[in-house]
Amino acid sequence: MGEFSHFDEEGRSRMVDVTDKKETKRIAIAQGKVKVSPKTLELIKDQEIEKGDVLEVARVAGIMGVKRTPDLIPMCHPLLIGGVDLKFNIIEPTATIEILATTKITGKTGVEMEALTAVSVAGLTIYDMCKAVDKGIEIGEIKLLKKTGGKSGIYLDQELIGEAIAFCSSPEKGTAKEEIAEATFKEDYGLEGDAHAGDWHRQVSLLAIEDIDFMREQGLDLELGAFGENVITKGLKLPELPVGRRLKLGKEIILEVTQIGKECHDRCNIYHQVGDCIMPRRGIFAKVIKGGTVKPGTKLEVLIND
């Protein structure tokens, strides 16, 4: 049996012995997602659920869940938790509530199970608070996003790591953009030389190559930039990011998501040229928090505050 097995040499259950391990600062961030009906989401946002403030009750429940983790998971060590923080992000296009739980400790073992328990209990509490109006609520996608500390060091979920495979620009709005060899992003302005740059919230548009390829599979002959996107990404689920989430592009550029999709009141030139436009459904928009210059193939990371 391994040193950190929950069974001894004779196959008997045991709690792993961490007596001789060094204490380090450890942080774990877990995520859970609760999908509700659009009507239920509005009731939650407006605090019109009869049982009370759904998210505040769920926040307290998640914190209590952290403290009860060793009572629920047989081999978990009782820990002196240093800090717990639960945040809720509303993703309106999919009527989803994202739960983020951050647990911290200076100790000899990690707090991943505590973070995962927090989002699980918070999700169940949302269901309990809302089941009278919506019994079809789904709780899922519970996973560890990030951990630091301990011998194993930093863990980062692969869904947080993507790539910017191309950059596109155009001097006019509502038109297809063309690829550029190098992109310069200016703080609180956007992509230098692009018509959408300026003092507003949709300075930069992003679209995933996976969505572009889906349209190509429908028989459309598409060049990158055909939907008016500035940044073509690979490996990230862009429409699932909440407003306010930050992205790190390369070593220094920081983008902040400001809008998921958009409403098109008129058919733009892109729609008439291509026959459809997926930016309103699958694209996202951001503003530039910190600028810099990058080339295609640059790492794109979803930042999770810890």
Side-chain angles (χ1 to χ4, degrees):
M1 295 292 177
E3 180 183 358
F4 296 111
S5 171
H6 285 305
F7 296 92
D8 64 17
E9 292 79 1
E10 298 179 8
R12 296 176 301 188
S13 300
R14 68 175 183 182
M15 181 181 287
V16 172
D17 187 353
V18 298
T19 305
D20 296 327
K21 293 179 70 176
K22 293 182 179 180
E23 289 192 347
T24 63
K25 181 179 179 181
R26 300 167 184 265
I27 300 173
I29 304 174
Q31 175 198 69
K33 292 186 178 180
V34 181
K35 295 182 180 180
V36 301
S37 70
K39 180 180 178 181
T40 301
L41 186 63
E42 289 302 313
L43 291 174
I44 293 172
K45 287 168 53 183
D46 296 337
Q47 296 188 22
E48 293 181 356
I49 296 291
E50 289 188 7
K51 290 184 178 181
D53 188 333
V54 173
L55 299 186
E56 276 309 308
V57 174
R59 194 189 318 274
V60 174
I63 293 171
M64 293 177 66
V66 168
K67 294 188 286 185
R68 298 303 297 269
T69 300
D71 296 332
L72 299 169
I73 312 300
M75 301 305 170
C76 274
H77 294 79
L79 301 176
L80 183 60
I81 303 296
V84 183
D85 182 39
L86 266 79
K87 295 180 179 178
F88 301 95
N89 295 308
I90 304 296
I91 306 173
E92 299 212 28
T94 56
T96 299
I97 301 169
E98 178 195 59
I99 308 169
L100 289 179
T102 301
T103 51
K104 299 181 180 181
I105 191 175
T106 298
K108 298 181 179 183
T109 189
V111 282
E112 296 96 315
M113 293 309 302
E114 285 73 12
L116 290 163
T117 301
V119 298
S120 301
V121 174
L124 288 168
T125 301
I126 291 173
Y127 186 96
D128 179 58
M129 295 286 287
C130 301
K131 65 179 185 289
V133 296
D134 188 356
K135 289 183 171 56
I137 294 172
E138 297 180 15
I139 304 169
E141 298 185 54
I142 297 173
K143 62 180 179 178
L144 181 69
L145 291 181
K146 184 177 181 180
K147 72 163 285 289
T148 63
K151 188 176 180 179
S152 61
I154 297 175
Y155 165 81
L156 194 64
D157 183 76
Q158 286 301 304
E159 287 193 7
L160 299 178
I161 304 172
E163 180 184 1
I165 64 170
F167 301 100
C168 301
S169 178
S170 67
E172 293 183 42
K173 293 182 179 181
T175 62
K177 300 184 186 296
E178 296 183 356
E179 284 190 70
I180 53 178
E182 187 176 78
T184 297
F185 293 88
K186 296 177 65 176
E187 182 178 327
D188 202 24
Y189 179 75
L191 178 61
E192 196 171 73
D194 185 71
H196 289 89
D199 184 18
W200 70 321
H201 71 289
R202 280 166 38 187
Q203 296 170 353
V204 179
S205 57
L206 299 90
L207 187 65
I209 187 64
E210 292 85 352
D211 290 319
I212 296 172
D213 286 342
F214 174 80
M215 296 301 293
R216 287 170 170 169
E217 291 170 3
Q218 311 311 307
L220 296 175
D221 183 17
L222 299 171
E223 299 290 335
L224 296 183
F227 297 107
E229 68 274 16
N230 293 126
V231 183
I232 295 91
T233 69
K234 181 179 180 180
L236 297 181
K237 298 178 181 179
L238 297 180
E240 296 184 14
L241 297 176
V243 170
R245 185 61 47 81
R246 291 189 172 187
L247 307 172
K248 185 176 182 181
L249 180 57
K251 294 182 179 180
E252 58 182 351
I253 299 171
I254 304 294
L255 307 177
E256 182 176 294
V257 178
T258 56
Q259 186 173 318
I260 308 297
K262 65 175 182 176
E263 183 178 355
C264 282
H265 300 285
D266 300 305
R267 299 300 189 188
C268 63
N269 291 337
I270 296 171
Y271 181 91
H272 292 299
Q273 292 170 10
V274 176
D276 189 13
C277 184
I278 57 175
M279 275 301 294
R281 303 192 301 275
R282 304 294 298 174
I284 70 171
F285 300 88
K287 63 181 180 182
V288 181
I289 303 300
K290 185 178 179 182
T293 300
V294 287
K295 294 183 178 181
T298 301
K299 177 182 176 181
L300 184 61
E301 179 184 339
V302 179
L303 298 179
I304 303 295
N305 294 331
D306 56 6

